[in-house]
Every structure is written in structure tokens, then in C-alpha cells.
Amino acid sequence: MGKSPHPLPAAPGSTGDYDRLETLLQNLPGMAYRCLNLKHWPMDFVSDGCLELCGYERHEIESQSVLWGDFTHPEMLDFVDRTVREAAERGEPFEVEYRIIARDGTEKWVWERGRVVDHRADGVAILEGFITDITDRKLAEAALVRAEAYAQAIVESAVDAIITVDDQGGIESFNQAASAMFGYRPGEVRGQHCRKLVAADYYREFDRFFQRNRRPVQNAPARVELNGSDKRGRNFPIVLSMREILDVAEHKYVILIHDLTEQREAERQVREQRDVLAHVDRLNTLGEMAAGIAHEINQPLTAISMYAQSSLRFLNREQPELQRLEEALEKLSQQAHRAGAVIERMQEMTRPHQSHQESVDAGRLLREIHELGEVEAQIRNFIIVLRHDDRLPRVDCDVIQIQQVILNLLRNGMESMRSKPCNPGSKIVLQARLLGGRLRISIIDSGHGVSSQLAGQLYQPFTSTKQSGMGLGLSISRSIIAAHGGQLEFSNNKGGGATFFFDLAVAG
Amino acid sequence: MTAAAAIQQVYVIDDDEAVRDSIGMLLESADLPFRSFASADEFFAQLDHNQRGCLVLDIRMPGMTGLQLQQRLAEVGSTLPVIFITGHGDVPMAVEAMRQGALDFLRKPVNESNFIERIQHAFDIESGKWHQKHDREQQLAQIASLTEREREVFDLVAEGLANKAIAGRLGISERTVEVHRAQVMKKLGARTLAQLVRIHLQAEISGFESK
């Protein structure tokens, strides 16, 4: 020290003060300097921090055997030079961040602040300032920028709409997928309530979902399915999930929205195919039951013709028996209705049918299919025993399709019993019992049971043990039950025969 | 015999109540007496040897079928004619029913006037059969009234033996044979030897065993 040709001006007068300053400078994480505002900034004073900052000793710099401009990254030299020169011309302090290359070749980011403190006699400005290593901060900043860029890229490239909202539900960000899904530009919806994206019919449901996830309560639903509504007012099915963004001073939430339109369409196609197959199966089944159905219609027709003839006879007597005549006609009319009902039931089974579930009286469902099953049972000389709890609940189902399944299972059971020497009047049981909150429907036969060989391919379409069977029955039955959220299962009975069963949801 | 006083009626057996009821009403309108049964078992349980008339029988029913009832009736020697009615155009079943001696096989819905005619026809047939059966039963009763010795003489006469030979076979006098023979003729209402032989033959057909 002290050898400097340009001692620090304004340096405090006393040596003690100067020492204190020296100590202070030594402890600073960086380098204080004084230099001339010339090319490459020749320095006549630097503090000890220079060694750590750029790898050169004080004397090497102060002797000007190396110049500061030599360390400055060539790419940034002009930028630094311009910044400093412009500030110097205006007489203002400058602040600049740039890269240097240290003696060992490592690159560092530095931050420098300085100002003109004096001028040499020739007018060259004398600068004083401070330079410190900010590499760590720069790296962290870069990492942060990179992380944000990643996050942004992910959010923007996501197929699902991702939006963030504040505690009140106000939209803060809106990704590209959200724009594509809902037709709004981010600017249009920012600050608006996110309910805007939901069809009006679903406001209440959405609000409830939002509230329960805003301050998550126990068992808050993780997702909710409802209809979204886009800018043009088109409604479409969406599933929506919501999560709080943690580590944010205020409450903020990210909401993910997935468009279910395609999924629903695929589901609809599957359902349609199932409906068509089910229809084919019903036609086939009823075709196979034609003899029984003819019988079922012949009974009332027989009665009708008998009553009609009786009526004529009562009328043609010398003393017409009007009371008997009236009775006969009334009974005739009843039988006509009976025949009509049979035909109507057949028509219902044969009509193409779009599946839909509704709440129905399980008792009625069972009685109807029991009657239809009896048509077949009578011909084969079996008895279908209907066995159920005293009180049967209402169940959610598609009546036609569930009846179709039961009819299929009854017919299969009878087929299996027929191929075994069974006594006439053998029984097949149709049973309904409440089991764990669901209604279990079982069809219990006393036929051959299901061999392990058959069990593997039981549900495959076009597999049949029947000569005339299409082998559709069980496979379509299984898919109908699956569409009802259940499973068609079977077990072999201890005493021979098999039981096929499935559960129906009790109407809420 | 009280059986002689039994009236002919139609036994309607069908598991379908409406069919049963409507047939009943038609029969009633034609002034034909009838009784209805919901099952073959129910009818069979009350079957009485003296019942007369005919059956209108549904071929397919839960429990005992019409064909099975027809078989059981044959087994117990019932002579009631059976008119089958069926809703099924089941040819093998019709053949089987006719083979088992069914009088008729009518398809539902039944042509009514034809139906009444068929019933009348069945009644006529049953009448004939009943009288035949009645006569035969009378004959069997008459045979049963013969004494041991008279039976022996009856059998041997029917075999074609002359009185003398019979006397020799039985170790009695020819005169005694003559007396027995006259008694047999009287008891059986036979006026000639030919009649006596025919009565014996008929009795054999009915299961009567020669001594």
C-alpha cells in the first residue's frame, strides 16, 4: 500500500482511519478500485479482494502489468465500456453486471458499481468503484428462470386446461389448452370468476366443490364431473380437479380440467354397439321361444273364441240369457287384453332399444320376467320358482336389458337341466335377496353345472353348448351387467347345477 | 248297480284358468254338465271308477302332463275318452296321443261348434264302451256267482268236452253234469252252447282265469 501513484483522495486524514478502512475493504466480498476511464481501465489502486475475484495480486494490477479490461469477457467488453462511458459523461454513478474470465480461466459474473470521482489534469476521468462476485446469484437466477420456463412449457403444452385461481376463485392464469378448450384468450378471463367456465346448470355443484377444496374438508371429492361452457355457449362434459398451491403466502389454487367429449363419445359408441347386440340377442331369444309365445297367445285366443260362442248360444236361446251374455262378453274382453299384453311384452323385447337406467320396482321387474320365463318353462315342463324377500326395494337399472339377462340365464339353466334326465316339473329358482345394500339376483338351476373346461370360455361370444344357440347370450349378459356397474358371476351348486348371479344398485 | 245311474259329464283339465272357465261356459251354454280341474293330478286324485263322460285335456301342463294322465288312465282301466286340446302344433306329441288311444286332438283356438260335436261324439263312444263294460262286469259277476262245481263244468264245456267226458273227468255222474250245466246256462243267461262258449272267451279276455 501507499505505493500507489494515485493515493485515494478524500481518504481520511489519520492513519487510524485509513487502517480501519483497509480492514473494512479486506473484509468485503469483492474488490474496491480506482482507475482511469481509459481503454481497459488501468488501475492504480485495488483492494485485497482482487486475488479472490480474478486471481491476480494487487501489485500485478496496480503496476498495470494486467488491465481490468483483459479480464472482462470479450463479448461484454463493449457493453461495459459503453455503460461506464455514458455514465461518466453524464457524471452519474453506474451499475453494471457482466462476466469476467479469471486467471485460471473460470468465468464469473460480477456486479460493479462506480462513479467519476475526479479528473486528471488532461481531463481523463478518475473512477472509483466496487466489484463483487455474483456468480452464485446469477446461477440461482438462471436456474429459477429455467425452472419457470420448464413449468411454463409444461403448462402450455399440456392437453388439459390448467388454470390458477385466487382464494375467491378469480382466474390468474389460463394456459393454451384452456384457451383452446373454452375459446377465451387469457386476457379475457383473467380476474373473472372461474365459475364462468362451467355451464349454468352446474354452478351450484361447482361452487360446492370449490368450497370443499378451498379449505379441504374431510372426504372432499378429488374431482367432479360436470358440463363446461365455452365462449360461444357450447356445453361439453368435463372432469375437474383442484389443488391448493402450497408455499404461497396467499391461498392460490390450480384447477385441472379434462375434456370428456371424446371419452363420452367412445362410451356412447360402446353402448350403442351393446344395444345393437342386445337387440340381436333378444330377437334371437324370442325367435327360439316362438313356440312358447304362440302358446301364450293361443290361450287367451282359445278363451276368447269359447266365450264368443257361449255368447251366441246365450243370445240365441228362446229366452236370451242376457246376464250370462254380459258375463261372457266381459270375460272375453279381459282375455283380449291379456293377449294384447303378451304381444306388447314381446314387442317391448323386440323393439330396438336405447339403454337407459331408471328406478324401477324390483318386484314388478321380477314378476314380469317370471311370466315370460314361464312361457319357455311350460313347454319344457319346468317350473320357475320366484323366491324373494318380503319387501323388495326399487333398483336402478335398464328394465328391458336386465330382464333380458334374467331370461337368458333362465333359458340357459333350463337347457342345462333338459340335457340331464330331470323329472318333469323340475324347478329352477329365480331369487332376489338384499345383500350388503345391493339386490342380488340369482338364477339357480339343477342341471350339469359349469365344467372347468367350459368356465374359461363361458363368456366368449359365439361359444354355445346349444345346437341352435348363437352363443351371444352370456357374453351380452355380462356386458349388460358390467354397464350396470356389476359383475355376472357363477358358482356350481353343492347338490349339482349352477347358480348365476349379479347385483343391482338399490335406488337412492 | 249305482254306476248305471251316473250321468255323463265333461271333465275339463287345463292349467289355464281362463281356458278352463271359457270351456266351462261354452259347455254350460250347450247344457252339457262338466267339472273343471286345474291339474292332471287333481283330476286323477278324485278319479272314480263310476265316472262317465269324457275328458277335455290340455296336453302340456305343469306337473303331470296330459299324455301322462292318459297313460295312467289306461293303466287303471278307465274307458273315459280323451279329447286333447293343445296350443302347440306338436306333431310327435299328437301322434303319441293318438297312438295311446286319444279320441281327438284339437288345436287351440278350438272351433267351437266342432268342439261341441266332438264332445257329443265322445259321449256316444263312451256310452257304447260303458254298456259293453257294464255287460262284461255283469257277466263277470254272474260267473263269480257260480259254485265251485259249476265253474269246473263251465270251463270243461267251454273246452268242448261232452257231458260224458266231463263226468269222467270230474268223477261224477253224467246226470249230475247235466244238472250243473243247466244251472250254469241259467245263471249266465246263455241259451245255447255257442253263447256259453262266447261268454267264457270274453271272460278270459277280461282276465278271468280258467280253473
Side-chain angles (χ1 to χ4, degrees), chain A residues 236-251:
Chain A
F236 54 100
I238 55 174
V239 58
L240 189 148
S241 63
M242 169 173 166
R243 177 156 299 200
E244 181 163 11
I245 303 170
L246 297 172
D247 277 345
V248 173
E250 312 149 71
H251 289 284

Side-chain angles (χ1 to χ4, degrees), chain A residues 104-155:
Chain A
D104 61 1
T106 57
E107 278 190 28
K108 289 181 177 176
W109 272 96
V110 297
W111 170 84
E112 177 177 347
R113 187 185 167 91
R115 65 185 181 98
V116 176
V117 291
D118 204 351
H119 289 87
R120 223 168 47 175
D122 60 1
V124 174
I126 298 168
L127 307 173
E128 280 184 4
F130 185 77
I131 302 172
T132 189
D133 184 348
I134 57 164
T135 306
D136 287 350
R137 198 193 90 203
K138 275 289 184 191
L139 286 177
E141 269 178 20
L144 189 62
V145 166
R146 216 162 35 235
E148 271 179 1
Y150 273 142
Q152 191 67 11
I154 289 169
V155 165

Side-chain angles (χ1 to χ4, degrees), chain A residues 71 82 92 100 102-104 114 158 179 197 200 220 255 331 338 356 381 391 398 405 410 489:
Chain A
F71 314 142
R82 195 168 61 243
E92 287 170 1
I100 59 168
R103 188 173 208 166
D104 61 1
S179 287
L197 307 176
I255 294 177
K331 286 178 165 173
R338 176 184 165 193
H356 64 284
N381 216 336
R391 289 175 59 89
D398 182 312
V405 170
L410 284 172
E489 296 174 86

Side-chain angles (χ1 to χ4, degrees), chain A residues 291 295 298-299 301-303 305-307 309-310 313-314 317 324 327-328 331 335 338 378-379 381 383 424, chain B residues 15-16 18-19 21-23 25-26 28-31 60-63 65 68 87-88 108-110 112 116:
Chain A
H295 179 254
N298 250 335
Q299 299 287 55
L301 283 183
T302 302
S305 75
M306 296 279 180
Y307 285 133
Q309 184 63 23
S310 309
R313 284 174 179 268
F314 288 132
R317 287 194 170 179
R324 298 291 282 145
E327 186 197 335
K331 286 178 165 173
Q335 291 305 308
R338 176 184 165 193
Q378 263 185 11
I379 288 203
N381 216 336
I383 296 171
Chain B
D15 60 312
D16 191 295
V19 171
D21 183 72
S22 63
I23 293 176
M25 191 179 273
L26 181 61
E28 193 192 328
S29 73
D31 292 323
R60 281 207 232 235
M61 282 181 289
T65 66
Q68 286 166 334
H88 318 277
K108 291 179 182 176
V110 182
E112 310 81 0
I116 298 292

